[in-house]
């Protein structure tokens, strides 16, 4: 699907790792950066004072913080014509920069509407990897600003992965093929269909590869189409609710508005997980792989997918080396550890995710705990070379399960 270009969201950026003097208030309270060439290329040759800017802290699950603060771009030697210019970027104290630490990634971006956006991600975090990948910040960043622009030949097309990262920044990505999608979702009016129905519609209209030939391509194609369908329908539903307004007894009903806003966010989060499970189930069926979805193992544990069946799992005579389980989480954050407690008979567990650029620290910990991460092939480019060599794509997982089931069948 066509998602537009990065230049539609960012024109130029400057990125660096924060030095102690810039991040630690105990070392300095200067609240400014030297106006080096990279910053001058982002902010331009004209001074400005107290211009509102947005600051975002990308700390992890439920830890994102957004604040606004005025910034000033000025020549500190403006009144000293006999001396060379010395540019400074000054920012007022704010919640985001107070959370920043030495070594964190800082990206200062100029958006097409001239908004200045400060983005801070902790060093070594998944969100740092995702931000660096989005802006093409390959290699090690040092304490000096690195410049990048996205106009003309330096622009890059956006895809499902890039849009995922943009949303982490609070930026709504462009909606592709809006007219075609509107014709599809019109049949549902202003009501969300059951999750399985929405997933089935995506598989019908996605134009994705045959899952028997390209499981990874089919999975990503279906997910992208369903996400686009959902967003078009959501836009219609939200627009109608806004037209109705939020009022009670002639006054604005703030509680009603907040409840509606929360319901929109919760629906987005819960739907993606179900969507991924629906499409995995469709691929398993197309490839004739025996499985049960949500079968009970021990206590209240219910792996998303158990292979070949719950009956085999609970049969003590069935070789545990021929059993498999797959956890399915569209995003991980720190929730991947939940999978470790599921299906005690299976030593090596598998977990499928759509989250790009997971940190090295997390993938190393997964490997130490016997958890194999499964990521669609198209997302492997967002990981380091060492991580990519360890990752399993969806096709590889299916081949492992199919081989185990073939060996179990041969044993009778």
């Amino acid at each position: 699907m066509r998602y537009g270009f990065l230049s539609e969201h960012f024109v130029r950026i400057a990125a660096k790792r924060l030095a102690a003097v810039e991040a630690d208030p105990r070392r300095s309270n200067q609240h400014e950066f030297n106006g080096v060439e990279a910053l001058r290329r982002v902010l331009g040759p004209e001074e400005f004072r107290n211009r509102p800017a947005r600051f975002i802290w990308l700390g992890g699950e439920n830890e994102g913080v957004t604040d606004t603060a005025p910034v000033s771009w000025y020549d500190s030697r403006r009144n000293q014509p006999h001396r060379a210019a010395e540019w400074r970027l000054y920012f007022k104290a704010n919640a985001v920069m107070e959370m920043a630490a030495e070594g964190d990634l800082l990206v200062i971006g100029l958006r097409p509407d001239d908004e200045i956006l400060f983005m801070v991600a902790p060093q070594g975090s998944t969100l740092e990897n995702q931000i660096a990948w989005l802006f093409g910040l390959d290699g090690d960043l040092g304490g000096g600003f690195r410049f990048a622009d996205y106009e003309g030949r330096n622009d890059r097309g956006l895809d499902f992965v890039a849009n995922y990262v943009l949303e982490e920044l609070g930026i709504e990505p462009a909606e592709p093929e809006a007219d075609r999608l509107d014709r599809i979702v019109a049949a549902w009016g202003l009501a969300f269909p059951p999750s399985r129905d929405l997933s089935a519609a995506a598989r019908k209209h996605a134009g994705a590869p045959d899952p028997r030939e390209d499981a990874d391509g089919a999975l990503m194609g279906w997910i992208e189409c369903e996400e686009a369908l959902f967003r078009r329908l959501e836009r219609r539903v939200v627009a109608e609710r806004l037209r109705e307004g939020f009022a009670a007894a002639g006054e604005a009903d703030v509680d009603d508005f907040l409840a509606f806003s929360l319901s929109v966010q919760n629906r987005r989060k819960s739907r993606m997980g179900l969507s991924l499970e629906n499409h995995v189930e469709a691929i398993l069926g197309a490839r004739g792989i025996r499985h049960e979805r949500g079968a009970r193992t021990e206590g209240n544990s219910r792996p998303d997918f158990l292979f070949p069946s719950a009956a085999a799992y609970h049969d003590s005579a069935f070789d545990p080396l021929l059993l498999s389980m797959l956890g399915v989480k569209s995003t991980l954050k720190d929730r991947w550890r939940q999978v470790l407690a599921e299906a005690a008979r299976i030593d090596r567990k598998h977990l499928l995710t759509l989250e790009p650029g997971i940190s090295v620290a997390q993938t190393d910990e997964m490997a130490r705990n016997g958890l194999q991460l499964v990521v669609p092939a198209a997302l492997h480019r967002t990981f380091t070379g060492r991580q990519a060599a360890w990752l399993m794509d969806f096709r590889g997982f299916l081949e492992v399960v199919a081989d185990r089931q073939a060996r179990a069948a041969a044993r009778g």
Side-chain angles (χ1 to χ4, degrees):
M1 304 190 81
R2 298 182 298 274
Y3 288 97
F5 295 89
L6 185 57
S7 62
E8 297 170 17
H9 304 286
F10 289 93
V11 180
R12 299 181 290 276
I13 63 106
K16 66 171 296 183
R17 294 205 175 278
L18 289 170
V21 70
E22 297 163 333
D24 189 345
R26 294 170 298 181
R27 300 281 295 273
S28 172
N29 59 359
Q30 62 184 19
H31 296 161
E32 65 181 12
F33 300 104
N34 289 330
V36 296
E37 176 63 19
L39 271 182
R40 291 198 294 272
R41 294 175 70 182
V42 172
L43 300 175
E46 301 296 330
E47 290 187 340
F48 54 78
R49 301 277 180 171
N50 296 321
R51 179 169 160 181
R54 186 155 55 102
F55 292 74
I56 301 177
W57 165 259
L58 300 160
E61 186 173 20
N62 300 322
E63 293 182 14
V65 173
T66 300
D67 201 357
T68 57
V71 299
S72 296
W73 175 239
Y74 66 98
D75 176 7
S76 63
R77 295 176 175 173
R78 182 181 181 185
N79 297 322
Q80 302 176 48
H82 60 287
R83 303 183 67 187
E86 184 176 87
W87 287 85
R88 303 277 184 178
L89 175 61
Y90 172 83
F91 60 90
K92 285 282 184 72
N94 60 83
V96 169
M97 296 307 294
E98 288 175 1
M99 299 177 72
E102 180 182 2
D104 287 353
L105 172 65
L106 169 69
V107 179
I108 300 176
L110 180 68
R111 305 197 63 204
D113 61 359
D114 285 336
E115 178 189 32
I116 299 173
L117 184 58
F118 288 68
M119 298 155 274
V120 182
Q123 185 174 22
S125 66
T126 293
L127 280 160
E128 178 195 57
N129 292 349
Q130 293 171 352
I131 297 302
W133 175 83
L134 176 68
F135 293 115
L137 301 173
D138 298 326
D140 293 330
L141 285 171
F145 277 105
R146 182 187 300 179
F147 172 82
D149 72 275
Y150 308 103
E151 297 177 298
R153 65 183 182 183
N154 295 325
D155 206 354
R156 55 171 292 188
L158 300 179
D159 57 11
F160 178 83
V161 185
N163 280 355
Y164 172 93
V165 183
L166 286 172
E167 286 196 272
E168 294 286 349
L169 296 173
I171 297 172
E172 284 288 326
E175 296 185 6
E177 304 174 36
D179 291 342
R180 183 176 77 91
L181 297 175
D182 281 338
R183 291 193 293 271
I184 298 171
V185 304
W188 295 313
L190 295 174
F192 288 98
S195 173
R196 288 184 180 274
D197 292 351
L198 187 58
S199 295
R203 291 193 291 272
K204 176 181 178 181
H205 295 284
D210 187 326
R212 294 167 295 183
E213 300 175 358
D214 182 1
D216 292 78
L219 183 61
M220 289 303 297
W222 293 346
I223 285 289
E224 287 190 32
C225 186
E226 180 166 349
E227 180 72 6
L229 287 171
F230 173 80
R231 291 302 178 97
R232 289 309 295 176
L233 180 57
E234 180 188 61
R235 179 174 291 274
R236 293 162 64 100
V237 172
V238 171
E240 179 61 25
R241 185 67 183 87
L242 292 177
R243 277 192 290 269
E244 293 174 359
F246 299 87
E251 295 184 2
D253 192 335
V254 176
D255 291 338
D256 191 23
F257 170 77
L258 293 175
F260 175 73
S261 177
L262 183 60
S263 72
V264 170
Q265 297 302 317
N266 287 340
R267 185 187 294 113
R268 285 186 175 186
K269 294 176 183 178
S270 63
R271 181 206 57 81
M272 178 63 85
L274 287 173
S275 165
L276 184 55
E277 289 184 31
N278 291 339
H279 296 311
V280 167
E281 188 173 41
I283 292 174
L284 294 174
R287 297 176 71 109
I289 294 178
R290 295 178 58 202
H291 66 280
E292 285 191 38
R293 181 175 175 180
R296 187 186 300 275
T297 52
E298 297 85 16
N300 292 322
S301 294
R302 293 180 179 271
D304 295 313
F305 291 94
L306 189 64
F307 308 86
S309 65
Y313 183 85
H314 292 290
D315 181 358
S316 59
F318 194 92
D319 187 350
L321 295 179
L322 301 180
L323 296 169
S324 306
M325 63 85 65
L326 180 68
V328 175
K329 295 185 183 297
S330 57
T331 60
L332 293 189
K333 309 301 182 185
D334 291 325
R335 295 175 296 134
W336 61 268
R337 294 180 181 84
Q338 298 169 4
V339 177
L340 300 177
E342 300 173 346
R345 290 193 69 198
I346 302 173
D347 290 334
R348 187 173 175 80
K349 298 174 173 62
H350 291 81
L351 174 60
L352 172 69
T353 187
L354 300 178
E355 182 157 6
I358 297 167
S359 70
V360 171
Q362 287 209 52
T363 55
D364 284 351
E365 188 175 354
M366 292 175 197
R368 288 195 300 270
N369 283 278
L371 179 64
Q372 175 62 59
L373 194 62
V374 181
V375 179
L379 306 185
H380 285 205
R381 68 188 189 277
T382 67
F383 292 81
T384 68
R386 180 169 69 86
Q387 287 176 303
W390 169 75
L391 290 175
M392 180 178 285
D393 60 21
F394 192 40
R395 180 187 67 176
F397 169 76
L398 296 175
E399 289 173 350
V400 167
V401 176
D403 176 68
R404 290 175 180 176
Q405 295 192 0
R407 286 189 283 143
R411 294 182 184 183

